[in-house]
Amino acid sequence: MDQYNIALIGFGGVNRALAQLVAERNDRWQTELGFRLNIVAVTDLNLGSVVSQNGIDARMLVETQWEKGGFARLSGGSADADNEKVIKQAPADIVAEATFTNPNDGEPAVSHCRWALEAGKHVVTTNKGPVALAATELNALARRRNARFEYEGAVMSGTPVLRTAKTMLAGSGLSGFEGILNGTSNFVLGRMEAGLGFSQAVGEAQALGYAEADPTADVEGYDVRLKVVILANELLGASLKPADVACQGISSLTVADIENAAKDGQRWKLIGSAVRQQDGRITASVAPRRLSVDHQLAGVNGAVNAVSFTTDMLGAVTVTGPGAGRIETAYALLSDIIAIHRAGPARPTKEAAE
Ligand code: HSE
């Protein structure tokens, strides 16, 4: 049985949910998966930081009502997040990076990942910024340090779309995909079909934990654009940047647009897609589309996501599942840790050569 020491960077919904899972399921994981998790550090811009060589009580972390700077009350705690020092110095095998997504340069999350990997620590993240904007650099750094950089939750939360496509569709002649990749916008479109106004529907999505800190990224398509970049680069071998992907969101759709589509037997969906052109170039876009109700993505409702892969051997293969939510996204971090555990014996080592 192994025990992995983990550092939680960012203590918002996702890492809080991971701590909750640790509190509730460590014994089950020990039996089913062969390892336990021991939280040795937590940082949060609002709450501060805490480091403990022996481990921090996960149940206490999730059940305490923390005030600003509240980690200072704990042994080994401080009111400052001090991410760099904690990431570099905490006795963690694995760093779980779940701070906010910055769609412009990915910072500070890119630096968080870089510091951890340079120190020979594995990184698991649900943060789209470092994956969409710096995956090439961070994967190379991970290889040099004999560490792993895992990010299943960057697309479709805990639904294993990246691993499914990379492993189960290898050799199938993957040439493109189209998908519903934002739970908030899909939820909002569904609630508007049910008669709700746009703002009220967005408010519900925020309350349910689907929306980004700034829901503009959800409804304007920017969140989908990052996911399209990640899928295209990871699965189609593209080198896209967000600016390469034409992007339109759902905020200009009116209730009348939605009703008119329904009269024609159609539904509006926000679709992110990429395709390999005949000359080998990968082109990609994000845009609302009216889908016939018998289209394979038309019946995907609520915060559920789906991506339909185009393959030579199998035709369309569609993966459907949750695309947002705290526990669902925390599960993605667990799935990354399972992947690290099963890949052994690549244990982190600070002595690994450049
Ligand atoms: N805000 C995102 C969504 C969460 O609504 O799908 C996952 O990236």
Side-chain angles (χ1 to χ4, degrees):
M1 198 277 296
D2 286 310
Q3 173 166 286
Y4 295 103
N5 286 344
I6 60 171
L8 308 182
I9 307 304
F11 201 57
V14 175
N15 267 341
R16 213 175 271 250
L18 182 61
Q20 183 186 330
L21 292 177
V22 170
E24 294 170 354
R25 298 188 181 223
N26 241 349
D27 292 342
R28 190 194 298 187
W29 292 344
Q30 181 172 338
T31 308
E32 286 181 8
L33 303 173
F35 63 81
R36 301 176 68 83
L37 298 181
N38 181 38
I39 300 171
V40 293
V42 188
T43 72
D44 186 86
L45 278 183
N46 189 41
L47 307 180
S49 59
V50 54
V51 178
S52 167
Q53 304 282 332
N54 298 325
I56 303 159
D57 182 356
R59 195 168 296 281
M60 177 278 296
L61 277 173
V62 291
E63 289 183 354
T64 304
Q65 298 291 316
W66 297 106
E67 72 283 0
K68 186 169 172 55
F71 287 169
R73 289 196 273 118
L74 299 172
S75 168
S78 160
D80 298 323
D82 213 347
N83 282 310
E84 182 168 3
K85 184 173 160 203
V86 172
I87 290 169
K88 289 180 175 175
Q89 296 182 4
D93 305 305
I94 299 171
V95 171
E97 211 291 341
T99 64
F100 67 96
T101 293
N102 174 343
N104 300 317
D105 62 6
E107 293 292 3
V110 173
S111 292
H112 297 162
C113 297
R114 197 183 283 130
W115 293 329
L117 294 169
E118 278 171 350
K121 294 167 181 166
H122 303 299
V123 172
V124 296
T125 187
T126 57
N127 194 322
K128 295 169 283 280
V131 187
L133 302 170
T136 305
E137 177 213 325
L138 295 171
N139 273 312
L141 176 58
R143 280 192 294 276
R144 286 202 303 278
R145 293 297 185 186
N146 194 27
R148 303 280 299 237
F149 179 48
E150 298 287 339
Y151 37 82
E152 182 61 61
V155 180
M156 282 177 69
S157 70
T159 305
V161 66
L162 289 170
R163 273 193 198 101
T164 298
K166 273 189 194 169
T167 59
M168 312 307 284
L169 295 178
S172 67
L174 185 61
S175 60
F177 62 85
E178 58 179 7
I180 292 172
L181 294 166
N182 182 267
T184 300
S185 54
N186 204 48
F187 176 87
V188 167
L189 289 172
R191 296 300 283 145
M192 288 175 75
E193 284 174 1
L196 244 67
F198 179 79
S199 304
Q200 200 180 345
V202 171
E204 282 190 7
Q206 286 178 295
L208 289 163
Y210 303 147
E212 299 297 294
D214 176 0
T216 312
D218 296 296
V219 298
E220 298 299 352
Y222 310 143
D223 174 74
V224 177
R225 180 164 60 178
L226 291 181
K227 291 168 180 169
V228 165
V229 166
I230 293 168
L231 288 173
N233 292 354
E234 290 286 318
L235 306 178
L236 298 174
S239 305
L240 296 180
K241 297 180 175 55
D244 300 325
V245 181
C247 182
Q248 187 191 341
I250 63 164
S251 63
S252 59
L253 288 181
T254 62
V255 172
D257 291 328
I258 284 165
E259 286 171 357
N260 287 336
K263 279 182 207 146
D264 294 342
Q266 295 179 324
R267 301 182 78 190
W268 283 100
K269 293 290 181 187
L270 182 62
I271 301 295
S273 62
V275 64
R276 192 189 310 284
Q277 304 291 346
Q278 288 204 328
D279 63 3
R281 278 181 318 120
I282 309 294
T283 56
S285 67
V286 179
R289 272 176 38 200
R290 278 171 70 144
L291 302 183
S292 158
V293 288
D294 55 11
H295 188 284
Q296 58 208 352
L297 297 178
V300 175
N301 291 314
V304 174
N305 283 189
V307 60
S308 186
F309 294 107
T310 309
T311 72
D312 292 344
M313 308 271 179
L314 303 170
V317 176
T318 303
V319 178
T320 307
R326 298 181 180 98
I327 292 289
E328 294 87 338
T329 310
Y331 172 72
L333 295 174
L334 176 66
S335 78
D336 286 341
I337 294 168
I338 294 169
I340 289 167
H341 176 72
R342 291 186 175 164
R347 301 283 301 154
T349 164
K350 290 176 188 168
E351 289 77 42
E354 281 288 336

